[in-house]
Every structure is written in C-alpha cells, then in structure tokens.
Amino acid sequence: MRIEFRLPSLGADMESATLTQWLKKPGEHIRRGEPIASVETTKGLIDIESYDDGEIADLVAAPGTPLPVGAVMAHLEVDDRAGAGAGSEAPAPSAPAPSARAPAPTAARRAAGPAAARLRLSPAARRRAQQLGIPDETLEHAAAAGEVMHIEDIERLAHAQPAAPGDARSAMRQAIGAAMARAKREIPHYYLGHTLDFAAAQAWLTQYNEPRPVGERLIDSVLIAKAVALAALRIEGFNGYWRDGRFEPSAAVHVGAAIAVRGGGLVAPALIDAHSKDLPTLMREFSDLVSRVRAGHMRSGEFTAATITVTSLGADGVDVLYPIINPPQVAIIGTGAVRDAPWALEGRVVIRPTLTLALAADHRVSDGRTGARFLRAIAERLAHPQQL
Amino acid sequence: MDIRDIRTRLLELLTAIAPDIDAAHVDPQRALHEQFDFDSMDALHFATAVSEAFGIDIPQRDYASLASLESAAQFVLSHLPGGA
C-alpha cells in the first residue's frame, strides 16, 4: 500500500518548515522512528522521523523548499499490515519518540477520519484553500477551536513561510507568540503556588555529587523533573493532551524540559518515560537535549512527545515563575530559584533553602483541589530524594 | 602550559560545548551566565569539559570559580598538576 509522508506539526507554534536534506533515498528501507529528512524550523534544524515501516517510493519535496505543515513530502510503500501503524496504539519498540499519543502526528490524524468534519471554513475560504492546495491538516492545525476560518486566515496561512536565517530569532518570537496566544485564548488556566523546604533534596544532591567526577554529577532540575513525573503518574488530570474536546490521559510521563535558546526564545523537548528512568539516565538524556539544542540539532519526536512540561528560571534569580500551558498539554510546572529563607520549623524560625513551585493547569480537566494534591505530591517526593 | 595557552584552550572548550557562541565576542572578564544566558546545564558542561581537558578535579563548591573565562583560567592555573 502506498501512503503519503507529510510534514508533521512539531508543536503548536509551528506552521511551516524548509526541507534542508533527505536522509533516505528512493528504494531505501525505513523503520518507524528512523529519521527520514532534516528540516529547518524556527526552533532550529530538526530530524523528522517516519511513522511507519516501509520503503521510500518517491521523494516529492525538493531540498530548499519551504513547506506548510501537512504538505506531502514523500510516498512510502508500506506492507498493508504494517500500514496499520497509522492507528496503532502500540508504541514503536525501539523508538519511543513518535508515539501514537504524540500531539498531531500525521499518522494519527489520518486514522482519525476526515479532518473536514471538525474543520469549519467559510465557503470562500474553502475555495481559496483548495486553489492554493493547502491540505486540511494545515488548516486544522491553524484553526482556533470552534472558530470559523475566513478567507483572510487562508491568505495569512498561504504567506506563512519559514523565515530566512537572519530572521530566525524574530520568527521564533512570532511562533512562540502565536502558540502562547492560542494557549491563553483556549485554555482556562488556573494557577497554584507552593513553597517547599528544599534542604533534603539539596543535602542529598551534595552528598551524591561530592565523590563523583563532574561529568557524572546531577543538577536539581533532574530531581524536579523526576518528582513531577512520579507525582503526575499518581494524581490524574495533569499528564496528557486536550484533543478534540476531551482529555486524553497518557500512561507514560514524557516531561518536556523548557530550554532557553540563546539570543531569545525557548524549546521544550521531552524526557521520554521520565517516570521510569533513574536519575543518572535522566541526567544523561537532559544533558544530551541541551547539547543538541545548543548545536541546533534535534529530533522531531522530542517535540511532539511531551505530556507535561517543567520550566525553570532559577538561574535568573526569580522567586516564582507563573507558566503558560503548552497546548495540547494540560499542565505545566514553573520553578524559581533555590533560595535561603526564614522557615518555621517545630515552633522556631530557621534558615532553610526553599523552592517555589507554580502550577498552571487546565480547568477543563482538573480543579484547584486536585492541583493542590498534585503540588503536594511533588513536594513530598522532593522531601525524600533517595526514593527518586 | 602558561596562562595564554590555558585561555586559548578554555575558549575552544567553551565554543565546543556552546557552538552557538561567537568566539570573537567573548569578554573574558564577564560572567558567562550574564553574557550568554548560561543555565545550570551549560555551567556543568563547561565544568566537565575543563575538568577532563586539564585533568583536574572541580568540586561542586568551586563551580563559582568558573563563572568567567578569566576566573576559570586562574583556577586552572592554580590547580594544574605539578603547580604553576
């Protein structure tokens, strides 16, 4: 069976990308999860991965071509049975990245039935979109939930081109702006804060790091990511996606780690299966993510996999970070700096290292009381770091 | 190895862990965090690179000594095996 390989959306803030290089040739075999092409996006250079096992039939897009999300890039010849990967819930064995639960993967969309059913376009807009050959998936991706798209929206989409390298920063700023505007427009956020005693975590970290060479040491972000993952596993309503008008919880916790891009902007690639990995493994993977963000080379699965995000401004000395949810996720944790502060302990005032967690969560999925339990569950885990 | 060699090597290490930094525009006196938005992972990567390149141990409490390129150069000079 011949299927189309389309440019996937790598997050709510992506509208288009430029193909820089094919990593496969016609006639070559490709496995699910294997990179097929390199594309330049506002987040940098990203390797996009195949959703299916098969053989490359032909390459449609030419390197250097700007493509809207959903554009057909290549055709794959897949075995009919393997082709069922489109709707399969089973994660790829060796490549967790393009999991069937990832937001907006083309394959999942294909299986979900005609996009047109959910898409609302004015007649003129539909005609114009057809003239311009904009695929439904691009429209669906750009459409705000429940709003009808008009011809102006279509023209704007048609002109959305990836920026020249010199404009990369302002392009990233625009992309973040668009995604965050969508988050604020569509998601009824609620916010909760909780300051905790970070002494146990800090003491454990110092004791762990002291005898080890620099390259094997841990940083507190990794402890926090693991604590969030474990808490998200226990308290339901914070881990997963809001899609098609309902919450889809995820069984695995893929923690998005917000990483600032020098010169402005940020990306939040995922620590896959953070709930089930030990701290040294998470540290290695986090370290690798940061290195590849700095070198400008990431993999598509990392952008679509996160089921919840953690973001920190501790290094910049702020006390509290009030985060904005990254759609289609439903929760995000912000952390400030670890700071020595007066702390009431057993009826006395003592100085302790403290950390303030802020939760932004989606009111369509959870309430403040559940949110409070979630924050307490994170704090509890950070109080017992040896169990992380 | 004199201080100039150390400075040159440190700049190489810095641009290797952070290829998005322009080596020509590094101010050796200014803190890397201020200059390049270094986060804790960048700082650890730099400490790891320095530790491995010069074969010196860098305890956690000495991370602050690597705040700028010049302070890192002084730290390395005073900790090189065999002394300066």
Side-chain angles (χ1 to χ4, degrees):
Chain A
M1 183 179 70
R2 179 170 285 222
I3 62 164
E4 290 170 334
F5 181 83
R6 293 169 180 267
L7 177 66
S9 167
L10 306 176
D13 55 356
M14 173 172 156
E15 290 187 343
S16 58
T18 299
L19 173 63
T20 50
Q21 193 192 355
W22 284 109
L23 303 172
K24 288 281 172 186
K25 288 198 275 292
E28 267 191 277
H29 260 280
I30 187 157
R31 285 202 325 265
R32 182 173 154 82
E34 222 185 323
I36 181 168
S38 246
V39 297
E40 178 78 39
T41 72
T42 55
K43 300 170 200 281
L45 211 55
I46 296 174
D47 287 348
I48 51 175
E49 299 143 329
S50 172
Y51 292 103
D52 304 274
D53 290 327
E55 190 176 291
I56 309 288
D58 64 349
L59 303 175
V60 179
T65 319
L67 303 162
V69 165
V72 176
M73 297 179 71
H75 290 98
L76 264 58
E77 200 62 52
V78 299
D79 165 11
D80 280 349
R81 237 158 26 88
S88 158
E89 277 296 308
S94 60
S99 123
R101 294 182 177 281
T106 319
R109 289 284 186 219
R110 241 189 353 251
R118 286 186 301 274
L119 199 59
R120 295 169 68 199
L121 289 172
S122 75
R126 182 167 296 285
R127 214 164 32 242
R128 186 73 183 127
Q130 276 164 359
Q131 279 169 4
L132 292 166
I134 301 176
D136 278 354
E137 277 150 52
T138 305
L139 298 173
E140 197 187 337
H141 174 75
E147 283 174 29
V148 178
M149 289 188 90
H150 297 284
I151 193 159
E152 307 82 65
D153 301 315
I154 304 299
E155 296 293 350
R156 189 175 49 77
L157 258 185
H159 290 103
Q161 299 283 323
D167 295 334
R169 280 176 196 171
S170 67
M172 182 183 268
R173 175 62 45 215
Q174 275 178 12
I176 292 170
M180 293 299 100
R182 185 187 146 200
K184 284 270 177 170
R185 190 171 60 232
E186 293 177 15
I187 304 174
H189 286 65
Y190 69 87
Y191 298 91
L192 303 174
H194 180 75
T195 300
L196 56 95
D197 179 351
F198 203 61
Q202 204 173 58
W204 183 87
L205 208 53
T206 305
Q207 201 182 19
Y208 180 93
N209 286 342
E210 203 59 48
R212 287 178 167 77
V214 194
E216 290 173 23
R217 291 178 198 160
L218 304 176
I219 58 174
D220 50 16
S221 317
V222 171
L223 266 63
I224 295 167
K226 182 72 187 282
V228 167
L230 292 176
L233 209 55
R234 222 192 63 184
I235 313 287
E236 208 183 301
F238 304 96
N239 184 52
Y241 306 123
W242 179 267
R243 227 161 23 199
D244 299 331
R246 63 186 196 90
F247 176 52
E248 296 172 12
S250 169
V253 191
H254 309 313
V255 177
I259 299 168
V261 173
R262 255 187 278 289
L266 75 166
V267 293
L271 294 164
I272 306 287
D273 291 326
H275 61 291
S276 64
K277 288 180 176 155
D278 61 16
L279 294 172
T281 306
L282 279 179
M283 179 68 195
R284 267 196 307 280
E285 293 184 2
F286 189 20
S287 168
D288 177 55
L289 283 181
V290 173
S291 296
R292 284 186 297 106
V293 167
R294 300 291 177 241
H297 213 105
M298 295 160 283
R299 289 191 284 269
S300 59
E302 291 165 346
F303 283 102
T304 50
T307 54
I308 183 169
T309 297
V310 176
T311 177
S312 166
L313 273 181
D316 294 271
V318 302
D319 294 321
V320 193
L321 186 169
Y322 304 96
I324 304 172
I325 299 169
N326 192 12
Q329 295 165 40
V330 299
I332 180 166
I333 296 284
T335 68
V338 174
R339 200 187 287 296
D340 283 346
W343 189 260
L345 187 75
E346 293 162 7
R348 295 173 52 202
V349 176
V350 292
I351 303 292
R352 307 287 276 188
T354 62
L355 173 71
T356 300
L357 303 173
L359 165 72
D362 188 334
H363 233 321
R364 295 172 298 189
V365 181
S366 64
D367 290 319
R369 178 167 279 177
T370 329
R373 282 177 54 216
F374 181 45
L375 279 183
R376 278 203 310 275
I378 300 169
E380 235 166 74
R381 272 151 189 81
L382 286 172
H384 301 96
Q386 67 285 358
Q387 292 166 16
L388 284 173
Chain B
M1 186 174 258
D2 70 15
I3 187 84
R4 272 176 312 188
D5 299 330
I6 295 173
R7 285 183 185 128
T8 309
R9 186 81 185 100
L10 283 173
L11 192 59
E12 287 168 9
L13 296 174
L14 181 69
T15 49
I17 62 140
D20 46 349
I21 284 177
D22 180 1
H25 289 97
V26 180
D27 176 348
Q29 306 291 344
R30 268 184 76 197
L32 297 168
H33 169 67
E34 257 177 57
Q35 229 179 138
F36 303 113
D37 294 335
F38 252 44
D39 60 21
S40 51
M41 190 64 86
D42 291 314
L44 189 71
H45 284 166
F46 187 52
T48 307
V50 172
S51 169
E52 285 169 3
F54 295 99
I56 53 178
D57 180 39
I58 306 173
Q60 218 175 215
R61 61 180 174 279
D62 283 337
Y63 284 178
S65 308
L66 306 184
S68 73
L69 268 196
E70 189 51 34
S71 65
Q74 296 300 337
F75 179 85
V76 170
L77 189 66
S78 59
H79 286 77
L80 272 183

